[in-house]
């Protein structure tokens, strides 16, 4: 049984998490859905979809902030990482096999390698990022114990500037160097 701290649920945080998930789903639909390929941009719904694709990034940022906050209160557990890794591997292989059965042209050596190494090859970037965050959480928690509030605010401010404001205004992706 996993040792977790029993906490009272905060409905405001849960609502924000649900809104973040909806933003992510809406963004995925806008960027990958069939309406995105529509050439009729005058149709109001299509215009709303195309204009709202940025919501996914905002939703991910909100969701990961909430996740990081709650992860700071849970003891590190390697079994959680292994379990997530195995689930991702299982579904990656199953999806690859199903697509190869449906259409043999889907098979390739590169596709097979990607399916058998989904986390290492970052096929599902969110799972890879989450596993990395889980691995760093014990160290981050130690950092948060020793820095004061002012240092913490400076750290958060620097991260927001480097990963949000600078890429927005000078179109430079600092995440490649992190």
């Amino acid at each position: 049984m996993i040792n977790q701290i029993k906490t009272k649920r905060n409905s405001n945080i849960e609502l924000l998490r649900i809104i973040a998930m909806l933003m992510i789903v809406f963004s995925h639909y806008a960027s990958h859905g069939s309406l995105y390929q529509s050439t009729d941009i005058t149709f109001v719904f299509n215009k709303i979809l195309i204009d709202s694709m940025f919501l996914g990034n905002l939703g991910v940022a909100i969701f990961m902030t909430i996740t990081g906050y709650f992860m700071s209160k849970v003891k590190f557990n390697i079994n959680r990482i292994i379990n997530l890794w195995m689930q991702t591997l299982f579904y990656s292989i199953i999806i690859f096999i199903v697509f190869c059965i449906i259409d043999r042209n889907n098979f390739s050596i590169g596709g097979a390698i990607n399916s058998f190494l989904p986390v290492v090859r970052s096929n599902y970037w969110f799972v890879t990022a989450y596993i990395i965050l889980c691995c760093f959480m014990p160290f981050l928690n130690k950092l948060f114990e020793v820095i004061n509030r002012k240092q913490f605010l400076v750290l958060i401010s620097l991260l927001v500037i480097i990963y949000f404001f600078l890429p927005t205004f000078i179109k430079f992706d600092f995440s490649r160097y992190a």
Side-chain angles (χ1 to χ4, degrees):
M1 192 162 201
I2 299 173
N3 294 333
Q4 291 187 0
I5 299 171
K6 299 249 181 189
T7 58
K8 185 178 175 187
R9 287 201 172 257
N10 184 334
S11 59
N12 292 332
I13 299 288
E14 295 298 325
L15 178 62
L16 183 60
R17 186 183 293 197
I18 290 168
I19 291 170
M21 286 186 232
L22 289 173
M23 291 166 71
I24 294 166
V25 169
F26 193 67
S27 174
H28 278 113
Y29 183 74
S31 61
H32 303 295
S34 61
L35 288 178
Y36 179 68
Q37 285 96 23
S38 173
T39 57
D40 183 16
I41 200 159
T42 58
F43 182 58
V44 174
F45 188 67
N46 287 355
K47 180 152 178 41
I48 291 170
L49 282 175
I50 291 170
D51 289 345
S52 63
M53 282 193 266
F54 74 92
L55 290 176
N57 292 339
L58 181 59
V60 169
I62 292 169
F63 191 83
M64 286 307 293
T65 301
I66 294 169
T67 300
Y69 173 76
F70 286 113
M71 282 178 67
S72 69
K73 299 179 182 310
V74 176
K75 187 176 178 184
F76 177 77
N77 187 346
I78 190 71
N79 291 330
R80 176 182 292 140
I81 295 171
I82 293 170
N83 188 25
L84 178 60
W85 194 304
M86 291 294 114
Q87 287 178 33
T88 305
L89 177 63
F90 173 78
Y91 286 111
S92 179
I93 292 170
I94 293 298
I95 290 169
F96 179 73
I97 290 171
V98 167
F99 276 101
C100 287
I101 291 171
I102 292 171
D103 183 5
R104 290 186 180 167
N105 292 329
N106 286 324
F107 180 80
S108 70
I109 298 298
I113 291 170
N114 284 341
S115 294
F116 282 90
L117 300 169
V119 175
V120 175
R121 299 293 298 250
S122 196
N123 290 349
Y124 307 104
W125 70 267
F126 187 84
V127 175
T128 303
Y130 183 81
I131 288 174
I132 291 169
L133 180 65
C134 287
C135 292
F136 278 97
M137 225 39 221
F139 305 106
L140 292 172
N141 287 338
K142 290 289 185 194
L143 172 70
F144 298 146
E145 288 174 5
V146 297
I147 65 174
N148 61 36
R149 181 175 171 79
K150 183 178 178 182
Q151 292 168 327
F152 181 73
L153 290 174
V154 168
L155 173 64
I156 295 298
S157 299
L158 286 172
L159 290 172
V160 167
I161 290 168
I162 291 170
Y163 290 103
F164 178 72
F165 285 115
L166 291 178
T168 300
F169 295 114
I170 65 171
K171 304 291 184 207
F172 188 78
D173 184 12
F174 287 95
S175 63
R176 283 186 267 169
Y177 306 104

